[in-house]
Amino acid sequence: MSTERAQPEESTRDRILRVAAEMFAEKGFHGTGVAELGDAAGIKRGALYYHIGSKEDLLYDLSSRHVEEALGRGRKVVESDLRPIEKLRALVREHLATLAARRSEVTVVMREMHALTGDRAERLKQLRDAHQDLFRQVLEEGVKEGVFRSSDSVTVLAILGMLNWTYVWFDPEHGSLPIEKVADRLSDIFVYGELQTSSKQTPQS
C-alpha cells in the first residue's frame, strides 16, 4: 500500500486564481480578457463571474493574498523572543519564502496594483502598510537595544525594496541558490549595514 498522501483537489476558485495570476503576470491585467481567462480555467463566463464577482475583485484577491500570508508569517516572528538581529533575519526569510511560493501573484501586485480603485486600493494599501510596519518594529527594537542605527522610513523602504525586487530576478526552478540562502545573503547586507559601530564585531548577538 502506498504511503504517499493524496494532494488536495484544487477548488474552482483556487484554479481561477492560479490561472489569473499566470495570465495577468504574462499579459497584464488590462491585456487579459474575461472570456480568455474563463477558457483557460475551463469555466464558462457566467460561472466565472459567480466565483470572482468582477475582474477588479479578482485582481484584489490576487494582490492581497500573498500580502496577507506574509503578514501572518511576519507577525509570528515579531511576537517571538528572538533578539532584533535574528528577528530581522527570520522576517526576511519568511517574506522571501512567501514571494518565492507565490511568484506569479507577486508579479501581478507589483505591476498591476495601480489598476485597483476605491475601497480595494485602500484595503491593499492598509495590508501593505501593516506588513511594512513589521520591519519598522524590528528595527526599532534594535535601535532601542543599541544594535541598529535607524528605523526610519528610508531604511524600511530600502529593505523592502530590495526584498520585493527579487520577483524580477529570482527563479526558484533554475536559480543557483535556494531562497533560504538568498534570504541570508540579503540579511547580511541589511544587518552589517545597519549595525552600530560597536556591534559590528558581534553580528549574531
Side-chain angles (χ1 to χ4, degrees):
M1 181 181 295
S2 173
T3 58
E4 293 184 4
R5 292 184 179 181
Q7 294 296 318
E9 184 176 349
E10 186 178 44
S11 69
T12 299
R13 179 167 177 76
D14 283 342
R15 183 167 79 254
I16 294 169
L17 288 168
R18 175 178 56 78
V19 171
E22 293 167 356
M23 294 186 73
F24 289 170
E26 179 182 354
K27 304 179 66 175
F29 174 68
H30 295 296
T32 303
V34 173
E36 63 179 326
L37 176 58
D39 289 343
I43 301 171
K44 293 183 179 180
R45 186 166 181 165
L48 181 65
Y49 277 119
Y50 170 79
H51 287 285
I52 69 172
S54 71
K55 188 178 169 184
E56 191 173 335
D57 284 335
L58 181 57
L59 177 60
Y60 172 78
D61 289 344
L62 284 175
S63 299
S64 63
R65 213 161 56 151
H66 89 273
V67 183
E68 290 173 339
E69 180 177 329
L71 187 57
R73 289 180 177 225
R75 280 173 172 158
K76 291 179 181 178
V77 172
V78 172
E79 293 166 1
S80 73
D81 295 327
L82 292 171
R83 299 297 296 275
I85 292 175
E86 288 309 312
K87 193 173 284 191
L88 180 60
R89 291 184 184 279
L91 196 55
V92 169
R93 292 188 199 109
E94 293 294 347
H95 185 49
L96 286 194
T98 303
L99 265 60
R102 297 187 177 276
R103 192 180 180 199
S104 292
E105 294 175 19
V106 173
T107 300
V108 170
V109 71
M110 294 300 178
R111 294 179 181 174
E112 307 291 344
M113 61 182 174
H114 63 276
L116 292 172
T117 60
D119 289 342
R120 300 182 191 89
E122 180 58 30
R123 290 200 303 272
L124 182 62
K125 181 181 182 301
Q126 290 173 358
L127 282 173
R128 288 168 61 85
D129 287 348
H131 182 255
Q132 177 179 314
D133 195 57
L134 298 180
F135 284 82
R136 182 197 59 75
Q137 290 179 55
V138 172
L139 289 170
E140 196 169 79
E141 283 182 32
V143 170
K144 289 178 179 178
E145 289 192 15
V147 177
F148 292 145
R149 291 184 295 166
S150 63
S151 59
D152 61 16
S153 60
V154 172
T155 304
V156 173
L157 292 174
I159 290 174
L160 281 169
M162 189 179 293
L163 295 179
N164 290 338
W165 195 248
T166 57
Y167 91 92
V168 174
W169 55 264
F170 178 74
D171 186 341
E173 296 181 1
H174 304 102
S176 59
L177 289 175
I179 194 62
E180 296 82 7
K181 294 292 185 182
V182 173
D184 290 342
R185 290 275 189 91
L186 295 181
S187 292
D188 283 343
I189 295 174
F190 309 146
V191 168
Y192 283 101
E194 278 302 308
L195 283 180
Q196 291 280 18
T197 303
S198 60
S199 303
K200 288 186 182 294
Q201 300 302 314
T202 56
Q204 300 300 324
S205 62

